[in-house]
Amino acid sequence: GENVEQHPSTLSVQEGDSAVIKCTYSDSASNYFPWYKQELGKRPQLIIDIRSNVGEKKDQRIAVTLNKTAKHFSLHITETQPEDSAVYFCAAIIKAAGNKLTFGGGTRVLVKP
Amino acid sequence: GAGVSQTPSNKVTEKGKYVELRCDPISGHTALYWYRQSLGQGPEFLIYFQGTGAADDSGLPNDRFFAVRPEGSVSTLKIQRTERGDSAVYLCASSSRGRGLTDTQYFGPGTRLTVL
């Protein structure tokens, strides 16, 4: 079926290091790829998104890259801080599934001080 | 402005009971979505409203689940004859759907449903 795969499921980094999370998707027609951050017991919050007409987008310490040919996209967090610790979800609009927003399984990021 | 709100924040019920979960979207947002999030997993799509009508209810797991949005704003997710497997966080999201655009979905805080 149509899905989004996310790796790794957990990621532990030292404060100040970079963190990279990768997602792959199955529908070549997908055109919208948001990333959400969810702290324990809180709502998912959009941190960055990218549309299929660009290959990279950056917002301060956060960047997302998209490779449409390979059908994968990645989140990059530089100079990580303890407050970056959370679960991060990638998602894609799966057109083949009726334009539903389909989420990856999540990556639990722990930034060690 | 105010974000998406959901009530109650927590609901504990007994197996077999009926529950209603409420979502109040961002004012002016025409699209409303319900998701279910189990522990350690990403949100899973349940149903999508565009205005008052359910445009896609293909994610509802069975006929015990039903949702309404009678005036195109507040929505209620209704679960009949609850089962222990229904325990999860139910998330609501809304977006301002423009023609030809893929719009950002803003999530509410969720309702944590526990079926004993």
Side-chain angles (χ1 to χ4, degrees):
Chain A
E2 304 295 343
N3 56 22
V4 178
E5 301 289 335
Q6 182 170 349
H7 299 281
S9 56
T10 59
L11 180 59
S12 182
V13 297
Q14 206 66 39
E15 182 178 359
D17 288 350
S18 295
V20 180
I21 304 169
K22 299 182 179 180
C23 288
T24 59
Y25 58 98
S26 54
D27 183 2
S28 57
S30 295
N31 61 358
Y32 176 61
F33 309 90
W35 285 88
Y36 285 85
K37 175 183 180 182
Q38 188 174 31
E39 298 178 20
L40 190 62
K42 301 285 183 65
R43 74 186 74 196
Q45 294 210 313
L46 180 78
I47 55 171
I48 196 167
D49 58 12
I50 191 167
R51 288 174 170 79
S52 58
N53 57 342
V54 297
E56 185 174 0
K57 184 176 178 181
K58 190 173 181 181
D59 182 3
Q60 300 183 341
R61 296 186 297 107
I62 294 172
V64 57
T65 58
L66 171 64
N67 184 326
K68 287 176 57 181
T69 303
K71 292 188 285 187
H72 68 70
F73 56 112
S74 299
L75 179 72
H76 304 253
I77 307 173
T78 58
E79 300 172 24
T80 53
Q81 301 168 4
E83 53 265 37
D84 295 329
S85 296
V87 179
Y88 292 80
F89 291 98
C90 64
I93 289 285
I94 302 294
K95 295 178 83 86
N99 283 324
K100 293 186 185 58
L101 190 61
T102 301
F103 286 81
T107 297
R108 182 173 299 277
V109 174
L110 175 63
V111 180
K112 296 180 288 186
Chain B
V4 179
S5 61
Q6 292 184 246
T7 55
S9 55
N10 280 283
K11 176 70 177 178
V12 180
T13 191
E14 293 180 343
K15 180 175 178 294
K17 299 288 189 182
Y18 168 82
V19 296
E20 289 189 352
L21 313 179
R22 176 189 167 111
C23 172
D24 208 330
I26 292 172
S27 178
H29 278 191
T30 57
L32 185 146
Y33 308 80
W34 283 99
Y35 294 87
R36 180 166 68 176
Q37 187 175 28
S38 300
L39 192 63
Q41 297 182 19
E44 291 181 288
F45 171 84
L46 295 177
I47 186 170
Y48 153 56
F49 287 90
Q50 183 62 256
T52 60
D56 185 345
D57 64 357
S58 61
L60 295 178
N62 51 60
D63 61 6
R64 295 186 298 105
F65 288 75
F66 189 71
V68 295
R69 194 186 186 200
E71 297 178 356
S73 178
V74 170
S75 175
T76 304
L77 179 65
K78 309 180 180 193
I79 310 174
Q80 298 177 322
R81 304 184 303 280
T82 51
E83 299 177 357
R84 292 193 180 87
D86 298 336
S87 297
V89 175
Y90 289 82
L91 292 165
C92 175
S94 71
S95 71
S96 176
R97 193 89 169 188
R99 182 184 294 275
L101 297 177
T102 306
D103 296 296
T104 299
Q105 294 185 26
Y106 297 91
F107 281 85
T111 294
R112 180 176 298 279
L113 176 65
T114 303
V115 182
L116 301 176

